């Protein structure tokens, strides 16, 4: 060998990165979803589209998962929370048991719990993991419910008394010669988004602190590859694989996160983004199973470190054959659900949620929506006998638009998709001063990134204006009931749902309401209103006026 060639060989051996030999590298493909919310069917409308392309449906999701998994020797399907609850009737009617069965069938391995997993309380969430029939409803879908074969994770949900976690904080999966730790964490603000009674005795801690505390013990076990399944998110703008400007609560968490974390799969905001933050992938796969994240990790088999990570959001198109097993589960659920469906009236036009979202308010909107107006009107109408003069409902309870069919037929399943929580209506007495204070709470919330401003949807009898630039506590102006100025010392009968009454969305003032009269479920009120007032049309806007 010539001296020059020998020198080149020596230099290359010195400069070559450690662990880059193909024999020492293991590629693992992580497939991620989030915010599925029981969307088993390949539906229609805005919630079944991505960029004007039909997307989603559990059987198509399973087919794409199978296709992407087949491209890699080592793979795992995981979720960043909100698999269940706020679901369409085909899943919610059966306590989301069909969704659990479908996820098992498509090979889901882990789910970092989201806030909606807690919507019906800790006991019901534990049943989702362990199995067994519902104490009141029994087993409607199958004769028995076996529970999830995949594992729930929750690093930052601890018992207030003994500090134990509700579910394991992490799981370590082995792929050939390498191991990956998956840590699950949910948003700290969960108590403000669910009925407080269902989570009594449990604390929701800072996700970053809980995740960081796990890194040293994982490394002590020789695990260096760490992926976080975080049910908290942000807003980035752009397309499904863009990230021009990531903002929101997740940004604060990422700034505090231990550098040993290699990738973060997020959720909660129903956004789609594919970012690199501090050198690591941070992704979100939208919602409702319309996107699956493909995260490829190249791991050094000798050290366990991630050498390279590459992420991409893949659309769940319907141009491939649906998975037959999952399709069969969905068909079974549809068949049983059809027994409960019925025609409830007519729909003259689409009635949408646009305007009710916190993002609409952030862009200068008033917070009012046509669908919110309709539902509040229905709840006021349904509680007239309790003396109701005003009805208020939370915008987060509006889960789907009402979309007109070609023949104008309105089904109970349409209403259920819009109001899937089956909250009970309660009419209470508040003073005028308390009503103003309640309305002020909507905008004070915007100071806390964990609880963005949420504008209550109001019935036609109530109107007011608000100014964002006014001092806190003085933003609400010109409050009127039936066209007359609200009298601070007078009392008014106000209808809300039991979620709000229990302090949901941090509207704790409602707990002070007196003379409670319990009424029907919210979806029952909407059905009765639809039968009596059809064909339904979008109520006019203008109840809430933004002055700046």
């Amino acid at each position: 060998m010539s001296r020059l060639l020998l020198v080149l060989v020596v230099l290359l051996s010195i400069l070559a990165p450690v662990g880059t030999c193909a024999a020492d590298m293991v590629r693992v493909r992580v497939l991620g979803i989030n915010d599925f919310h029981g969307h088993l069917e390949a539906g229609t409308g805005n919630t079944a589209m991505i960029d004007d392309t039909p997307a989603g449906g559990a059987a198509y999701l399973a087919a794409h998962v199978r296709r992407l998994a087949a491209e890699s020797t080592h793979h795992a399907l995981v979720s960043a929370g909100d698999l269940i609850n706020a679901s369409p009737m085909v899943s919610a009617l059966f306590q989301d048991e069909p969704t659990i069965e479908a996820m098992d069938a498509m090979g889901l391995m882990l789910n970092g719990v989201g806030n909606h997993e807690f919507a019906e309380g800790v006991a019901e969430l534990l049943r989702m993991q362990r199995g067994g029939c519902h104490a009141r409803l029994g087993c409607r879908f199958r004769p028995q419910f076996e529970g999830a074969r995949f594992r729930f994770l929750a690093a930052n949900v601890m018992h207030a008394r003994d500090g134990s976690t509700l579910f394991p904080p992490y799981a370590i999966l082995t792929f050939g010669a390498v191991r990956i730790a998956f840590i699950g964490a949910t948003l700290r603000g969960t108590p403000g988004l669910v009925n407080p009674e269902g989570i009594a005795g449990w604390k929701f801690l800072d996700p970053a602190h809980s995740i960081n505390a796990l890194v040293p013990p994982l490394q002590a076990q020789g695990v260096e590859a760490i992926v976080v399944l975080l049910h908290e998110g942000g807003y980035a703008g752009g397309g499904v694989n863009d990230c021009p400007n990531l903002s929101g609560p997740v940004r604060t968490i990422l700034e505090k996160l231990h550098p040993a974390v290699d990738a973060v799969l997020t959720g909660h905001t129903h956004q789609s983004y594919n970012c690199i933050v501090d050198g690591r992938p941070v992704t979100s796969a939208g919602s409702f199973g319309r996107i699956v994240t493909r995260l490829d990790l190249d791991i050094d088999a000798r050290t366990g470190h991630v050498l390279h990570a590459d992420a991409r959001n893949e659309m769940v198109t319907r141009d491939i054959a649906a998975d037959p097993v999952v399709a069969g589960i969905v068909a079974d659920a549809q068949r049983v659900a059809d027994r409960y469906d019925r025609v409830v009236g007519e729909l003259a036009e689409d009635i949408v949620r646009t305007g009710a979202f916190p993002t609409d308010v952030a862009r200068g909107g008033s917070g009012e929506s046509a669908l919110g107006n309709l539902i509040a009107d229905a709840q006021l109408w349904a509680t007239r006998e309790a003396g109701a003069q005003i009805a208020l409902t939370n915008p987060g309870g509006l889960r789907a638009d009402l979309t007109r069919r070609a023949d104008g037929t309105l089904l109970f399943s349409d209403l259920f998709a819009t109001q899937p929580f089956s909250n009970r209506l309660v009419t209470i007495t508040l003073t005028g001063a308390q009503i103003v204070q309640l309305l002020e709470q909507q905008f004070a919330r915007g100071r806390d990134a964990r609880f963005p401003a949420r504008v209550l949807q109001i019935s036609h009898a109530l109107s007011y204006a608000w100014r964002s630039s006014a001092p806190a506590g003085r933003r609400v102006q010109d409050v009127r009931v039936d066209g007359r100025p609200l009298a601070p010392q007078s009392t008014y009968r106000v209808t809300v749902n039991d979620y709000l009454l229990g302090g949901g969305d941090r509207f704790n003032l409602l707990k002070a309401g007196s003379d409670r009269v319990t009424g029907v479920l919210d979806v029952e009120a909407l059905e009765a209103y639809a039968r009596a007032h059809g064909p339904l049309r979008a109520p006019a806007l203008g109840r809430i006026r933004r002055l700046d």
Side-chain angles (χ1 to χ4, degrees):
M1 183 182 293
S2 70
R3 180 173 296 179
L4 177 59
L5 183 57
L6 179 61
V7 170
L8 287 173
V9 170
V10 172
L11 284 173
L12 287 172
S13 65
I14 294 172
L15 295 174
V18 175
T20 56
C21 175
D24 295 327
M25 189 273 289
V26 175
R27 171 163 290 183
V28 179
R29 172 162 289 183
V30 178
L31 301 174
I33 60 174
N34 54 270
D35 298 280
F36 183 73
H37 289 292
H39 277 247
L40 295 171
E41 297 173 293
T44 59
N46 292 336
T47 58
M49 306 287 284
I50 294 289
D51 296 334
D52 299 322
T53 300
Y60 293 103
L61 173 61
H64 281 278
V65 165
R66 185 176 65 244
R67 173 183 62 82
L68 292 167
E71 296 172 357
S72 178
T73 302
H74 305 291
H75 50 264
L77 176 62
V78 299
S79 163
D82 278 9
L83 283 175
I84 57 175
N85 202 261
S87 307
M89 194 173 84
V90 71
S91 182
L93 192 63
F94 313 110
Q95 294 298 112
D96 285 307
E97 292 169 13
T99 292
I100 299 295
E101 186 175 329
M103 289 296 156
D104 277 334
M106 71 177 72
L108 184 67
M109 301 179 75
L110 303 169
N111 177 45
V113 294
N115 56 291
H116 275 281
E117 266 85 10
F118 292 93
E120 295 197 34
V122 168
E124 176 65 359
L125 178 52
L126 289 171
R127 187 181 76 88
M128 291 289 101
Q129 179 73 92
R130 299 169 180 172
C133 294
H134 191 277
R136 178 172 55 86
L137 300 173
C139 283
R140 286 179 168 182
F141 181 51
R142 306 286 193 203
Q144 293 295 326
F145 174 57
E146 302 299 331
R149 293 196 298 269
F150 59 86
R151 284 177 282 175
F152 290 94
L153 304 177
N156 65 324
V157 183
M158 295 188 175
H159 200 278
R161 186 179 64 252
D162 60 18
S164 60
T165 56
L166 178 62
F167 293 110
Y170 64 84
I172 299 173
L173 302 184
T174 301
F175 305 92
V178 302
R179 294 183 294 168
I180 303 176
F182 293 86
I183 301 174
T186 193
L187 70 158
R188 192 176 185 180
T190 295
L193 299 174
V194 301
N195 192 322
E197 295 179 1
I199 57 171
W202 293 92
K203 298 190 299 183
F204 291 74
L205 308 179
D206 176 71
H209 175 79
S210 299
I211 294 165
N212 292 346
L214 294 170
V215 172
L218 285 171
Q219 292 178 326
Q221 299 177 61
V223 179
E224 297 290 347
I226 300 174
V227 175
V228 169
L229 308 177
L230 175 64
H231 193 75
E232 181 60 288
Y235 305 89
V240 299
N241 279 296
D242 297 330
C243 189
N245 182 30
L246 183 63
S247 62
V250 73
R251 191 86 209 198
T252 303
I253 296 172
L254 294 171
E255 290 170 356
K256 298 188 292 183
L257 213 54
H258 197 292
V261 172
D262 295 294
V264 184
L265 277 60
T266 73
H268 186 58
T269 55
H270 292 202
Q271 302 298 300
S272 305
Y273 47 77
N274 185 2
C275 310
I276 298 293
V277 180
D278 295 331
R280 59 187 159 215
V282 176
T283 67
S284 178
S287 61
F288 309 148
R290 295 171 295 172
I291 292 173
V292 59
T293 296
R294 170 186 57 75
L295 172 66
D296 288 328
L297 302 174
D298 292 337
I299 303 174
D300 190 319
R302 295 177 297 176
T303 67
H305 285 284
V306 173
L307 301 174
H308 178 70
D310 176 71
R312 184 163 183 82
N313 284 329
E314 306 262 359
M315 191 186 307
V316 177
T317 58
R318 300 175 187 169
D319 55 357
I320 63 174
D323 181 272
V325 175
V326 175
I329 295 169
V330 176
D332 288 347
Q334 289 171 322
R335 194 158 39 246
V336 181
D338 283 346
R339 302 173 192 166
Y340 296 87
D341 210 356
R342 51 193 177 269
V343 175
V344 298
E346 294 180 83
L347 188 63
E349 58 187 338
D350 293 352
I351 307 178
V352 301
R353 299 170 292 165
T354 304
F357 301 108
T359 48
D360 295 325
V361 179
R363 289 193 290 263
S366 70
E368 182 183 10
S369 74
L371 183 61
N373 286 353
L374 172 71
I375 289 173
D377 287 348
Q379 294 179 1
L380 176 64
W381 181 83
T383 54
R384 303 182 314 282
E385 292 183 2
Q389 299 165 272
I390 299 168
L392 310 167
T393 195
N394 52 305
L398 316 180
R399 303 308 297 190
D401 298 334
L402 286 177
T403 304
R404 187 183 185 277
R405 288 183 171 80
D407 64 356
T409 302
L410 183 65
L411 302 180
F412 178 75
S413 55
D414 300 327
L415 305 185
F416 196 94
T418 297
Q419 295 266 270
F421 295 108
S422 296
N423 291 317
R424 192 162 293 279
L425 302 182
V426 184
T427 304
I428 60 176
T429 297
L430 295 174
T431 67
Q434 286 175 314
I435 292 172
V436 172
Q437 185 181 351
L438 178 70
L439 296 177
E440 289 284 357
Q441 285 183 348
Q442 301 171 115
F443 311 113
R445 293 159 51 84
R447 294 176 298 178
D448 186 339
R450 290 180 293 147
F451 305 108
R454 291 179 180 236
V455 177
L456 294 167
Q457 307 297 284
I458 62 176
S459 59
H460 62 84
L462 180 65
S463 66
Y464 68 93
W466 66 279
R467 190 181 300 276
S468 63
S469 59
R474 295 170 55 189
R475 295 188 173 120
V476 174
Q477 304 174 20
D478 192 27
V479 184
R480 294 177 177 267
V481 177
D482 290 326
R484 294 184 293 274
L486 186 80
Q489 303 305 319
S490 297
T491 57
Y492 298 86
R493 296 290 284 164
V494 180
T495 294
V496 296
N497 59 49
D498 54 3
Y499 165 73
L500 282 173
L501 190 65
D505 282 357
R506 299 285 173 167
F507 288 107
N508 292 313
L509 182 145
L510 288 168
K511 294 179 181 180
S514 60
D515 304 320
R516 300 184 181 187
V517 176
T518 301
V520 298
L521 300 180
D522 50 11
V523 71
E524 292 173 342
L526 189 55
E527 178 181 5
Y529 187 85
R531 290 183 182 278
H533 294 83
L536 292 182
R537 296 184 181 276
L541 301 179
R543 302 173 188 183
I544 304 173
R545 293 175 291 119
R546 184 168 181 169
L547 302 177
D548 63 356

